[in-house]
Amino acid sequence: MRFAFGEIRRAKLRFALLIGAVALLIFLILFQQTLSGSLLGQFTGGLQHQSATVLVYNVDARRSVDASRLLPQQVAGVAQVEGVAESGPIGEASFTAQLASGEQRDTTVFGYALDGPGFPTTLTEGRLPQTEGEAVASAQDAANGYGIGEQVTIVPGDTSITIVGLADNLQFNVQPTLFVSYPTYESLVRSTNPDARGVLPNLVGVEPAAGVDPVTLAGDITAQVEGVEALDRDTAVASLPGVSSIQQSFGIILGLAFVVVILLTGFFFLIITVQKTPSLTLLRAVGASGGFLLANLLTQVLIVIGLALVVAIPLTVLAVQGASSAQFSATVEPSVVITTSLVILVLGVLASIGAMRRVAKIDPAAATARIAGGGLA
């Protein structure tokens, strides 16, 4: 350990530049992961964090919640499929909500049967709706006019909704989101579109009977009810339009960043090892073991990556705080930081294998062949 630190002290600038470069790459990885996770969460949270474990669409909607409409006979048919413990209609639409401050904001509203599937599962404060005109709001928007006790008015129609609860990660389509009773949802649709002859649900939420696999039940519903497609909740979330493209775009960026970390770390220590070969050969000749030299190399790798993480993590927290706003909030998740840090540490060690192999192949006898190193010839 002392030998490893001593070498770093003698080459401060060289190692400082490496630490800075690796820190910037780790910052990029963490920042992109946070942005992508927050964006996907605010895009899909309303669907991900409702209680129905199976969601039934109109087959022609191509797994789009907004495009799906189910007929009454389809809703009734879903309830009759064997393995369905309970089911109920779920409506979803975007409305213009006027806040107490007078500001108007686009707001997504989910309507569900209060005694059926579809209620928000991440309630953190307050309670679920118990009657018409009540709502659970996304906690991210509590400070923006959607706090408990606040009233929002859906316009046109001037229908007032009182917020009685808050739930985490409940936004949908990156908008403030409200969960209300299905009759309240119907009244909102009628108030904004008085010419509507009827209000059809976008989805049917299903809860399987005990011991019934959601994926299997989804297949049974699709096969037995004409004109519908049923998906388990995770598949439904992953199939939302735009989700796969967002994941692929951020995945490419993150993949490239990880590759650069590996290449940068690997080439740096390989070059350093090549430059130090005469010195390392002399150390082996005077009795230093191969294990000692390998341990020092590994220690330097861990020091570099550890210090880079110490720089990158606070920088990521500050950058995320600066990037957050009333319309888009992001949070650095400790689990993401820990997982990424461990992955980078492992990749750093793997990247140094080339340098380690070169150290392991050093022959102490080679010192006798170097005149400049005190050799015999």
Side-chain angles (χ1 to χ4, degrees):
M1 181 73 73
R2 184 180 302 173
F3 181 81
F5 274 107
E7 188 172 2
I8 292 175
R9 283 196 298 269
R10 288 191 297 272
K12 294 185 182 70
L13 180 60
R14 181 184 297 175
F15 279 91
L17 290 174
L18 175 63
I19 292 169
V22 174
L24 287 175
L25 288 169
I26 295 174
F27 161 73
L28 175 63
I29 291 171
L30 291 175
F31 188 69
Q32 293 288 344
Q33 284 180 321
T34 300
L35 288 184
S36 63
S38 298
L39 179 60
L40 286 172
Q42 293 178 41
F43 190 69
T44 65
L47 200 65
Q48 178 71 57
H49 299 293
Q50 54 77 40
S51 65
T53 53
V54 174
L55 296 162
V56 184
Y57 297 72
N58 185 300
V59 70
D60 295 326
R62 297 186 178 182
R63 303 182 178 183
S64 169
V65 177
D66 293 329
S68 179
R69 297 292 185 275
L70 293 170
L71 299 173
Q73 58 267 32
Q74 291 174 319
V75 176
V78 170
Q80 296 172 4
V81 175
E82 184 178 357
V84 174
E86 57 179 344
S87 65
I90 297 176
E92 182 273 333
S94 182
F95 300 92
T96 299
Q98 181 168 311
L99 309 180
S101 63
E103 178 187 1
Q104 292 187 349
R105 293 188 64 181
D106 290 336
T107 302
T108 298
V109 177
F110 279 89
Y112 69 98
L114 296 183
D115 58 349
F119 60 86
T121 58
T122 54
L123 192 71
T124 57
E125 188 177 351
R127 59 176 175 81
L128 295 174
Q130 296 175 349
T131 185
E132 294 186 33
E134 295 182 340
V136 168
S138 47
Q140 297 97 313
D141 300 298
N144 302 319
Y146 294 85
I148 291 180
E150 298 278 1
Q151 287 192 336
V152 298
T153 303
I154 303 300
V155 293
D158 296 331
T159 303
S160 181
I161 298 175
T162 302
I163 297 173
V164 298
L166 297 174
D168 280 339
N169 304 314
L170 207 63
Q171 287 188 338
F172 191 70
N173 290 335
V174 200
Q175 291 181 346
T177 301
L178 303 176
F179 273 67
V180 302
S181 67
Y182 194 77
T184 301
Y185 170 79
E186 289 181 312
S187 68
L188 294 179
V189 174
R190 290 193 178 97
S191 67
T192 55
N193 186 11
D195 296 330
R197 295 184 178 181
V199 180
L200 298 177
N202 300 77
L203 308 168
V204 173
V206 175
E207 192 62 32
V212 177
D213 178 59
V215 176
T216 301
L217 180 59
D220 292 342
I221 294 172
T222 301
Q224 296 178 34
V225 181
E226 184 178 358
V228 306
E229 180 181 18
L231 304 171
D232 65 279
R233 182 170 52 211
D234 290 340
T235 302
V237 170
S239 301
L240 285 170
V243 170
S244 60
S245 60
I246 293 174
Q247 290 175 327
Q248 289 174 1
S249 299
F250 279 101
I252 292 172
I253 296 173
L254 291 173
L256 290 174
F258 277 113
V259 169
V260 174
V261 169
I262 295 172
L263 293 177
L264 180 63
T265 305
F267 277 119
F268 175 85
F269 282 101
L270 182 59
I271 292 171
I272 290 293
T273 301
V274 170
Q275 293 175 342
K276 297 189 305 182
T277 297
S279 300
L280 296 175
T281 303
L282 284 175
L283 285 172
R284 289 286 283 119
V286 298
S289 67
F292 171 79
L293 297 180
L294 289 173
N296 279 284
L297 175 59
L298 180 59
T299 300
Q300 289 178 349
V301 172
L302 296 178
I303 290 171
V304 167
I305 296 177
L307 291 177
L309 288 169
V310 170
V311 173
I313 293 172
L315 186 61
T316 302
V317 173
L318 293 174
V320 168
Q321 290 175 348
S324 298
S325 64
Q327 286 73 35
F328 179 79
S329 61
T331 304
V332 179
E333 296 291 339
S335 59
V336 173
V337 173
I338 293 171
T339 302
T340 301
S341 299
L342 292 175
V343 169
I344 291 174
L345 283 171
V346 172
L347 291 177
V349 172
L350 294 177
S352 65
I353 288 178
M356 290 182 180
R357 290 182 62 187
R358 192 170 185 89
V359 171
K361 291 180 178 179
I362 291 176
D363 182 4
T368 64
R370 291 182 175 273
I371 298 175
L376 299 178

